[in-house]
Amino acid sequence: MSTAYAIITVTAILANAGIAVADLLKAEFVLANSAEVGLPQSWLPWLAALKGAGAAGLLLGLMGVPFIGVAAAVGLVLFFIGAVAAHIRARVYYNIVFPGGYLALAAASLVLAVAR
């Protein structure tokens, strides 16, 4: 396992697990951001479950089940493309760096997982 793969993937796991918890707790910044992009609050538990599943899948990939790690990374890439698209659709650009950052982590983790 390469050091870059391990560092990027652990970072992606922690970031996605953290934001999943924030979604579940309905943190103030999550509610404000969701309202700005037109996302119903009722979707938050489902989105948290997807982020949590992605983090768990990345962890399984690190622990020796590479096809699960790759699948999780693909899922997170698609998820965050959707998040970036939601920001663009709603013309909420001032904080687009956050879903963009999560997208970059997921994409880097995917590239490094495939390159293993």
Side-chain angles (χ1 to χ4, degrees), residues 4-80:
Y5 170 66
I7 290 170
I8 294 294
T9 303
V10 167
T11 303
I13 290 166
L14 294 173
N16 281 285
I19 198 64
V21 170
D23 286 355
L24 287 173
L25 296 176
K26 295 185 179 178
E28 191 173 316
F29 75 93
V30 170
L31 296 177
N33 187 52
S34 299
E36 280 188 290
V37 298
L39 182 74
Q41 279 188 28
S42 62
W43 287 23
L44 288 177
W46 300 106
L47 298 177
L50 291 172
K51 294 170 193 173
L58 291 177
L59 181 60
L60 285 172
L62 272 178
M63 295 173 62
V65 190
F67 70 94
I68 297 292
V70 170
V74 168
L76 287 170
V77 165
L78 294 173
F79 181 93
F80 288 110

